[in-house]
Amino acid sequence: MSDHLSSYEPKNAFSKWMDSRLPVMRMMHGQFVDFPTPRNLNYMWTFGGILTFMLMVQIVSGLVLSMHYQASDADAFNSVEAIRRDVNYGWLLRNIHAVGASMFFFAVYLHMARGLYYGSYKAPREILWILGVIIFLLMMATGFMGYALVWGQMSFWGVTVITNLFSAIPLVGGAITKWLWGGYSVSGVTLNRFFSLHFLLPFVITGVVMLHIWALHVVGQNNPTGLDIKTKSDSVPMLPFAIMKDAFALAMFVLIYAWFIFFVPNYLGDADNYIEANPLSTPPHIVPEWYFLPFYAILRSIPSKLGGVVMMFGSIALLAFLPWLDTSNVRSAKYRPKFKWFLWAFFFSVIALGYLGGKPAEGSYVIWSRVFTAYYFIFFLVIMPVLGLIEKPLKLPNSIMDAVLGGGGPMAGSAAAAAPEKR
Amino acid sequence: MTRFVLKGLACLGLVVSLGSGLATSASASGGGDEISRQHWTFGGLRGHFDRAQLQRGFQVYKEVCSTCHGMKRLSFRNLSEKGGPEFAEDGAKGLAETYKVSDGPNDQGKMFKRPGRLSDRIPSPFDNEQQARSANNGALPPDLSLMALARKVEVDHPFYTLPYHMIKDIVTGYQEGGPDYIYGVLMSYGENAPPYKDNGGHLAKMTEADAKANPAMPRCATVVSEPGQADVCNKMSEGMHYNEAFPGHQIAMPAPLRDGVVKYADGTPGTTENYARDVSAFQAWAADPKLEERKRLGLMAMLYLLGTTVLLYFAKRRIWSGVPH
Ligand code: HEM
């Protein structure tokens, strides 16, 4: 945390010389070695590290892929096939990157769910949370444009549907859409600029992630109790404790990731994207990648095009206001007996919206989409502010250490003393 | 602790599959519930191609399908590469030479034809889409190089059994929807669309025997029924062929296979079923020529990662032991 002093001591002449000029090792040591982490973090806290790993994987694999990729409407699809067939281990690279995008989103959804459940968006973590929402938006833009690069049928028609949404904006919509396309329809020109942006955005994300981690290290991590770290006994140093746990969780995550890469690489994709883009033939069902489906369902649940677009973007923008929409001063849902159930209902709604987003927009699917969309907004705009005022939270433990030891009997002090703390 | 790890793993798996399955259920290419899963040697975690089957499959493609369909992403050299049909290199070379490939321009600025080489792509039967359509009654025979990945068998599971099916497919490594579909199409031709009887607005499916007794019965490729309205019979269009597996049940491709049309050299019986199976397997390889390498490397990668994970688990347990958390 901000008042935490690094215990770094330069050992040799060079590091002493360096330390008095550019104390980067001191900074790294303070932030990633002896940084105090709450001792009670569960595995939901490992997704931040996993996300950082995935960002690096996407950047490295993407960089090599772009050495073989051709961003033109005539060559894009063929160049992807050439990567799959003729580039050495090109199939592996492509699977790493394509499956990687899905795993990235999978991790970010769990990361965000963790934040919602344990109230990590509340003071003093508002900026941290808002930076997270910005990262999420940038990720969505990156994922969307990356999918376009394959230039298969679903790429092309997905881009067509989504860019067309902008035409719903009154007065300037048509002009904006043409400007995005770089012409009068989705074409190779659009593809080319998407490639350029898809290359750029991950580096922008990296920058925002740095701010995100900076903000995290100013206020410190939240934890399952939602309590602040009060004394030293509440925390353990990041190395080896948190790092070791993160490493184990990352290994489990990579195990699943590798399963998809090697054994079911096309499970997450759409068969139609193995057909080259054809502007003259519209596929019967145009569906985005799975990680966009809840928002796609929200879009389609509204009968008016403009209304749908507003609701879809609103559903994400709303996240940025959570710190002020939630009026409860208890962070963790663990101690909020009513909120907890509304929150699980919210998680269920998002998954249900994901299911419905993949179904044709007809009949009962539309009705259910409306029900869950309504709940999505009611949860944030009504339940969160109101419940915080009327709900009676459970009794909070005195400290993190007390919670760990189960209520804090006379044992608390002695066990804390026995804990092998380095300092 | 172990229980927690297992729980975590299970949750992770569940959520991945939930999320991803939504995408699967969303894709709409392919046929319906009529298509059943076949056993393929290249399915599952240790899947590999049956060389002889791929060679027979190529023969069926060459002698039957290639009159209408190209496989433009395949080069002759691929036929002798590892992990495929693995024809002897001479064989593939000789085969290439039986094709005429256009090349040029030469010194006089003229295009010319020459015998194929290993590095050439397998030539497509038609020069362009227009020519292909005019030779096929207006329909376009699609290129088959990626067909096995461009189709899936779509089964509409109810939402409450969906997670089970998704997890099952992920865990067993099921990726053969494409070949299942192609095999399904090739095996699902019918003489004619089934006859229906009109029961006061409701169309009931009848048998061929009924149709013989009453030739006036309408034959419908598909029947659309909306609640509160009379059923609508979609009759077969001119020049179309009835096929149970094809979406809409009317396909422009005439049944390409018949018992005995291809003479297999290796003694495999020349049945429609064998042809269909072999040519589907061949397309599975053509669409995913690195499948064997992928699965082989995958097993090693999984073993290595599993070892690392176990080591990390014990290291983590050791470090945290005696630290209340
Ligand atoms: C590229 C994507 C992202 C990366 C690489 C990333 C990285 C990290 C890392 C390394 C941590 C610290 C470890 C942890 O507590 O899990 C963290 C914490 C956090 N992240 Fe992210 N993050 C990303 C996206 C997001 C998004 C989309 C949100 C929410 C909208 C978000 C919200 C938070 C919050 C609230 C914390 C503090 C957690 C706590 O202490 O409770 N992050 N992030």
Side-chain angles (χ1 to χ4, degrees):
Chain A
M1 284 166 279
S2 50
D3 53 357
H4 150 77
L5 287 177
S6 175
S7 65
Y8 177 69
E9 269 175 46
K11 297 239 161 53
N12 56 36
F14 174 72
S15 52
K16 283 190 187 122
W17 183 85
M18 194 68 189
D19 196 49
S20 54
R21 286 164 179 79
L22 181 67
V24 58
M25 287 313 292
R26 176 175 300 275
M27 196 269 279
M28 295 302 280
H29 190 90
Q31 298 304 310
F32 301 105
V33 176
D34 59 12
F35 187 78
T37 56
R39 67 189 319 134
N40 60 338
L41 296 185
N42 60 30
Y43 278 94
M44 290 307 282
W45 264 265
T46 59
F47 285 101
I50 288 171
L51 283 163
T52 314
F53 170 81
M54 285 314 300
L55 182 60
M56 291 188 307
V57 168
Q58 291 305 90
I59 287 180
V60 172
S61 59
L63 197 68
V64 185
L65 281 174
S66 62
M67 294 175 187
H68 301 277
Y69 174 76
Q70 308 260 310
S72 83
D73 53 354
D75 298 329
F77 191 84
N78 293 335
S79 71
V80 172
E81 276 308 307
I83 289 170
R84 290 185 61 234
R85 290 160 191 270
D86 296 329
V87 173
N88 290 334
Y89 291 102
W91 59 269
L92 179 58
L93 263 178
R94 184 186 182 227
N95 288 357
I96 286 175
H97 200 75
V99 176
S102 281
M103 296 302 288
F104 202 161
F105 275 95
F106 166 60
V108 90
Y109 281 130
L110 289 180
H111 190 65
M112 293 165 77
R114 184 278 318 261
L116 284 174
Y117 192 86
Y118 296 110
S120 300
Y121 48 86
K122 294 188 200 185
R125 298 188 180 81
E126 302 94 325
I127 294 292
L128 173 59
W129 173 261
I130 291 169
L131 286 169
V133 176
I134 293 172
I135 294 170
F136 181 52
L137 275 171
L138 288 171
M139 274 175 67
M140 292 179 102
T142 311
F144 169 66
M145 289 193 268
Y147 191 59
L149 301 186
V150 181
W151 215 237
Q153 273 290 67
M154 220 31 100
S155 303
F156 181 89
W157 291 98
V159 171
T160 304
V161 168
I162 300 299
T163 48
N164 254 312
L165 295 178
F166 290 91
S167 68
I169 303 170
L171 302 177
V172 291
I176 291 183
T177 316
K178 265 183 231 138
W179 177 73
L180 286 173
W181 287 339
Y184 292 92
S185 66
V186 177
S187 70
V189 180
T190 324
L191 173 64
N192 213 331
R193 60 188 52 191
F194 273 27
F195 179 47
S196 175
L197 291 172
H198 182 72
F199 201 118
L200 171 71
L201 284 187
F203 295 95
V204 178
I205 294 178
T206 310
V208 185
V209 167
M210 284 177 185
L211 295 179
H212 186 74
I213 295 177
W214 183 6
L216 173 76
H217 281 212
V218 169
V219 297
Q221 278 169 293
N222 187 23
N223 63 79
T225 63
L227 299 175
D228 291 327
I229 294 180
K230 289 177 191 147
T231 62
K232 231 176 188 173
S233 70
D234 286 341
S235 73
V236 288
M238 187 152 168
L239 191 82
F241 296 100
I243 299 274
M244 206 51 230
K245 201 164 179 168
D246 280 354
F248 168 56
L250 177 63
M252 286 216 296
F253 185 84
V254 173
L255 213 54
I256 296 174
Y257 182 17
W259 185 271
F260 276 86
I261 289 174
F262 290 107
F263 298 118
V264 276
N266 293 310
Y267 188 86
L268 301 155
D270 197 303
D272 274 352
N273 228 24
Y274 277 107
I275 305 171
E276 190 167 0
N278 180 355
L280 300 177
S281 136
T282 317
H285 298 286
I286 301 175
V287 269
E289 289 282 83
W290 68 266
Y291 38 82
F292 293 132
L293 290 175
F295 303 101
Y296 194 55
I298 293 178
L299 169 78
R300 296 190 309 177
S301 69
I302 311 295
S304 112
K305 185 170 170 186
L306 180 61
V309 173
V310 169
M311 294 290 268
M312 180 176 72
F313 285 109
S315 66
I316 300 167
L318 204 52
L319 293 174
F321 297 95
L322 290 202
W324 299 278
L325 284 170
D326 189 341
T327 49
S328 167
N329 50 19
V330 173
R331 285 201 193 104
S332 174
K334 225 170 142 178
Y335 304 103
R336 301 184 60 188
K338 295 209 179 69
F339 178 75
K340 197 193 231 167
W341 293 111
F342 285 109
L343 183 57
W344 278 112
F346 170 78
F347 291 149
F348 180 82
S349 301
V350 174
I351 294 175
L353 281 170
Y355 172 79
L356 294 163
K359 291 285 171 191
E362 59 196 28
S364 61
Y365 293 136
V366 177
I367 309 213
W368 281 111
S369 301
R370 289 188 185 148
V371 170
F372 289 116
T373 299
Y375 184 73
Y376 185 106
F377 285 94
I378 289 172
F379 175 74
F380 285 138
L381 294 173
V382 180
I383 296 175
M384 261 201 174
V386 174
L387 197 64
L389 299 176
I390 58 176
E391 183 185 37
K392 191 173 170 309
L394 303 181
K395 190 179 169 308
L396 294 174
N398 292 327
S399 70
I400 293 175
M401 194 61 183
D402 276 5
V404 165
L405 297 176
M411 231 188 82
S414 59
E421 286 230 51
K422 286 234 171 96
R423 290 154 296 138
Chain B
M1 185 59 230
T2 337
R3 204 176 44 116
F4 188 86
V5 172
L6 285 175
K7 236 166 59 184
L9 252 174
C11 284
L12 220 69
L14 194 85
V15 182
V16 170
S17 45
L18 249 173
S20 52
L22 296 170
T24 338
S25 62
S27 67
S29 29
D33 306 288
E34 306 87 355
I35 300 174
S36 56
R37 293 187 179 183
Q38 303 298 315
H39 171 76
W40 304 104
T41 60
F42 49 89
L45 311 188
R46 290 162 47 100
H48 54 87
F49 291 108
D50 172 348
R51 312 276 161 241
Q53 180 174 52
L54 293 190
Q55 297 193 356
R56 293 194 302 271
F58 175 69
Q59 191 187 354
V60 175
Y61 165 71
K62 183 166 181 270
E63 292 177 18
V64 182
C65 322
S66 72
T67 37
C68 302
H69 295 278
M71 284 191 107
K72 63 178 179 187
R73 293 180 200 282
L74 280 190
S75 303
F76 291 107
R77 69 177 161 86
N78 296 137
L79 295 172
S80 62
E81 276 166 5
K82 242 179 93 73
E86 296 187 8
F87 284 107
E89 196 169 312
D90 291 345
K93 207 165 172 176
L95 186 84
E97 281 163 4
T98 64
Y99 283 80
K100 287 272 168 289
V101 177
S102 63
D103 200 349
N106 63 10
D107 297 350
Q108 284 91 50
K110 296 226 170 61
M111 302 301 285
F112 59 94
K113 296 265 185 192
R114 58 159 175 79
R117 302 182 192 130
L118 279 178
S119 57
D120 286 322
R121 301 289 185 94
I122 296 181
S124 298
F126 302 108
D127 291 338
N128 48 53
E129 179 177 335
Q130 288 74 2
Q131 197 190 37
R133 281 190 193 275
S134 86
N136 283 284
N137 241 330
L140 178 69
D143 188 89
L144 295 182
S145 346
L146 275 172
M147 188 54 73
L149 284 174
R151 299 289 187 277
K152 257 181 197 171
V153 181
E154 211 215 312
V155 187
D156 228 350
H157 296 294
F159 70 89
Y160 46 87
T161 62
L162 190 60
Y164 162 75
H165 289 285
M166 289 187 308
I167 291 176
K168 195 175 119 216
D169 286 350
I170 291 172
V171 170
T172 56
Y174 174 71
Q175 291 272 276
E176 292 77 47
D180 284 346
Y181 171 77
I182 298 172
Y183 177 83
V185 166
L186 293 173
M187 295 298 291
S188 304
Y189 278 92
E191 281 298 310
N192 206 340
Y196 283 83
K197 193 167 137 195
D198 198 334
N199 288 338
H202 171 71
L203 289 169
K205 201 169 187 169
M206 299 319 249
T207 63
E208 284 302 325
D210 299 325
K212 233 187 214 129
N214 180 6
M217 264 183 194
R219 290 179 174 273
C220 318
T222 52
V223 169
V224 184
S225 31
E226 296 260 1
Q229 282 171 29
D231 290 352
V232 180
C233 168
N234 285 329
K235 294 223 170 70
M236 296 289 296
S237 309
E238 193 51 37
M240 300 297 267
H241 309 270
Y242 183 73
N243 189 307
E244 282 276 339
F246 190 70
H249 297 181
Q250 312 190 45
I251 188 167
M253 166 166 72
L257 299 171
R258 206 162 301 109
D259 286 352
V261 290
V262 178
K263 293 266 168 297
Y264 280 152
D266 65 359
T268 307
T271 60
T272 307
E273 198 193 324
N274 283 341
Y275 299 147
R277 199 176 293 281
D278 294 346
V279 81
S280 304
F282 177 69
Q283 286 172 74
W285 166 76
D288 199 0
K290 298 293 157 72
L291 178 142
E292 288 191 4
E293 188 184 0
R294 169 162 63 78
K295 294 194 174 180
R296 209 169 336 107
L297 195 61
L299 278 182
M300 292 195 291
M302 292 310 291
L303 274 178
Y304 171 79
L305 286 169
L306 206 64
T308 312
T309 310
V310 170
L311 284 181
L312 284 170
Y313 171 68
F314 284 110
K316 189 237 137 218
R317 214 167 74 151
R318 176 104 187 246
I319 283 174
W320 280 86
S321 72
V323 184
H325 58 281

